[in-house]
Amino acid sequence: MPKAGSSTSKLLSSELLCVFCNEYEDEKRYGKLISNDGIAAHNFCLLFSSGLAQKGEDNEGLDGFLIEDILKECKRCNKLKCSFCKVKGGSIGCGNSWCKKSYHYGCGKDNGAMFTYHGNYSSYCKKHSLVQEELPAEERKTLKPVDTCYICYENLNTTISPTTILAPCCTRAWYHRQCIEDMAYSAGLHYFKCPLCNNVDEWQAEMLRIGIYIPDRDASWELVPGAYNSLLQPNLECVADVCICPQGRSEDETDGEWELIMCETCGCQAVHTQCGKLKKKDKEWLCSMCRGTASGSSKENEVPHEPETLRSENKRQSSSSNSVPPKKTRPSKSRSKKKALAKGVKTLDNYFTVTKQSNTGLSVSSNSQFNVRFQDG
């Protein structure tokens, strides 16, 4: 492409060219190309021109920049040579009052100049551009040396320079400046954040300060026409093993026997009312995958816990059906004696005789010639 300001570039195409940099439309690099009354200019060339002010309304001239003011600015900058390409038309001057450099917008971008896309829209040459602060020596020692950009995962030089950026938030990671610019242009103001810790406020403030352009719009992937049509209107077909619809699996009637009923859980599959043998009043259907998941976690399909009495009875039945009979245990003497004393009956034991004498106690006699009295209570 010819140098900015060369007359030969105007003969290559009938498309409009920017009156300041003499370049074609490239929205990502120069901003939107605006035209009115046969005059066109890039948005960024208008905003950063040192002698141009926005005096009109948004619907006047080129986004508020009046046509007569634009022509005056063109006459002024045609007297100035670009400090980089040496062609007349350098309309942007360095923001440092002692610096005499002037340049085209594109030439400044290619030679390390910084542009601040907020406030007064100032620009600074590479020598006077705003830089990030170096990390303290103590913090630099504690951090592990990482020489990889966390966006493109390619190597970079981990020093403050016009081509590298240090994250201001918790991660303190390094990035290529070009990677950050591409990310900001794609994400827009509403989605631009730190790729690692998702910090928004501190991240955006630092990126604006060091000259990263963040367009005030939605993300680029949200602006694609019909990007989510496939999710809103899924292309469903009857998934029955045998579809009996005469018109085929894609037929979808409204409130008919060939209406496609989507799975009420996932909505990814569907079946005809007739093919799925569904009731017309209650059209609820689960696909095979969701049905298997639901049945696996459903309590109705789980084996219920047996009550304690039923479990004991089952154990006795299983033990009685066993070929080996269970061993019989003989109750102990002490237990038989206490039971006999409580009921006031004569035990089978030949050594003891229980006799109820009165309501106040029990008398126990034995062949061993000793008497014991138990008191009630």
Side-chain angles (χ1 to χ4, degrees):
M1 184 176 290
K3 290 288 186 180
S6 61
S7 59
T8 57
S9 64
K10 297 180 180 180
L11 303 177
L12 295 178
S13 174
S14 60
E15 295 181 7
L16 293 174
L17 298 172
C18 177
V19 295
F20 293 106
C21 66
N22 205 31
E23 295 290 351
Y24 297 103
E25 182 176 10
D26 187 348
E27 185 174 351
K28 183 177 180 181
R29 179 175 171 86
Y30 300 104
K32 193 174 182 179
L33 184 66
I34 311 166
S35 62
N36 190 5
D37 293 338
I39 296 178
H42 293 121
N43 187 29
F44 294 156
C45 293
L46 291 169
L47 292 172
F48 288 101
S49 291
S50 301
L52 187 60
Q54 192 177 20
K55 298 179 180 179
E57 300 295 332
D58 291 342
N59 58 351
E60 296 180 317
L62 302 182
D63 281 359
F65 294 95
L66 301 179
I67 299 298
E68 54 268 26
D69 293 338
I70 295 174
L71 295 177
K72 290 179 181 179
E73 178 66 6
C74 289
K75 290 180 180 180
R76 184 193 71 83
C77 65
N78 281 334
K79 301 176 183 179
L80 304 173
K81 284 186 178 181
C82 176
S83 301
F84 303 112
C85 69
K86 307 305 180 182
V87 176
K88 291 182 179 181
S91 61
I92 303 174
C94 179
N96 190 309
S97 58
W98 298 97
C99 184
K100 302 302 180 182
K101 287 184 178 180
S102 60
Y103 38 83
H104 302 100
Y105 178 84
C107 296
K109 291 285 289 185
D110 294 338
N111 290 274
M114 192 188 77
F115 300 87
T116 56
Y117 300 90
H118 61 93
N120 295 326
Y121 288 86
S122 303
S123 177
Y124 301 89
C125 66
K126 182 178 179 180
K127 182 179 180 181
H128 301 112
S129 60
L130 304 178
V131 295
Q132 292 184 290
E133 297 180 359
E134 290 282 357
L135 289 174
E138 297 181 357
E139 187 176 353
R140 200 181 304 120
K141 292 180 181 179
T142 58
L143 292 176
K144 296 181 179 179
V146 179
D147 56 353
T148 303
C149 172
Y150 281 97
I151 294 179
C152 67
Y153 288 96
E154 294 184 0
N155 294 335
L156 49 67
N157 185 15
T158 55
T159 56
I160 301 297
S161 69
T163 60
T164 58
I165 292 178
L166 178 64
C169 36
C170 60
T171 58
R172 310 298 272 176
W174 290 88
Y175 302 93
H176 290 116
R177 186 183 185 90
Q178 187 61 48
C179 294
I180 294 293
E181 289 180 349
D182 294 342
M183 177 183 174
Y185 184 80
S186 176
L189 183 64
H190 305 291
Y191 288 90
F192 185 52
K193 55 188 176 181
C194 177
L196 294 182
C197 68
N198 292 331
N199 183 287
V200 176
D201 296 335
E202 187 180 1
W203 171 266
Q204 289 190 3
E206 178 66 9
M207 296 302 110
L208 286 173
R209 189 187 73 85
I210 60 177
I212 300 297
Y213 172 59
I214 310 174
D216 189 5
R217 56 165 171 76
D218 210 343
S220 58
W221 56 83
E222 297 284 349
L223 301 176
V224 179
Y228 301 100
N229 286 347
S230 59
L231 299 178
L232 299 176
Q233 297 178 355
N235 185 18
L236 297 176
E237 293 183 348
C238 178
V239 296
D241 294 338
V242 179
C243 179
I244 59 177
C245 179
Q247 287 77 22
R249 294 182 179 271
S250 301
E251 178 66 17
D252 187 10
E253 292 182 354
T254 302
D255 295 332
E257 60 181 357
W258 307 122
E259 180 185 2
L260 283 174
I261 305 300
M262 292 190 298
C263 174
E264 62 178 1
T265 301
C266 66
C268 297
Q269 297 185 9
V271 69
H272 287 126
T273 305
Q274 190 70 15
C275 299
K277 298 180 181 180
L278 305 178
K279 298 179 181 179
K280 294 184 178 181
K281 295 183 179 180
D282 187 16
K283 297 179 180 179
E284 295 182 357
W285 177 75
L286 290 176
C287 65
S288 58
M289 183 178 297
C290 295
R291 193 184 309 118
T293 304
S295 62
S297 59
S298 176
K299 294 183 178 181
E300 295 179 359
N301 295 327
E302 293 179 356
V303 178
H305 295 290
E306 294 178 340
E308 190 67 26
T309 55
L310 181 59
R311 190 184 301 121
S312 302
E313 184 179 353
N314 291 340
K315 287 183 178 180
R316 287 195 297 270
Q317 291 178 357
S318 60
S319 60
S320 62
S321 61
N322 196 346
S323 58
V324 180
K327 294 182 180 180
K328 295 182 179 180
T329 56
R330 183 177 181 182
S332 60
K333 290 183 178 181
S334 59
R335 184 176 180 181
S336 300
K337 293 172 184 177
K338 292 179 180 180
K339 188 175 181 180
L341 292 173
K343 292 184 177 181
V345 296
K346 187 176 181 181
T347 65
L348 299 176
D349 196 331
N350 295 326
Y351 292 94
F352 293 93
T353 301
V354 180
T355 305
K356 185 176 181 181
Q357 292 183 345
S358 65
N359 295 331
T360 59
L362 293 175
S363 175
V364 180
S365 62
S366 66
N367 295 333
S368 57
Q369 298 179 359
F370 66 88
N371 294 325
V372 181
R373 178 176 294 272
F374 294 90
Q375 300 293 335
D376 288 340

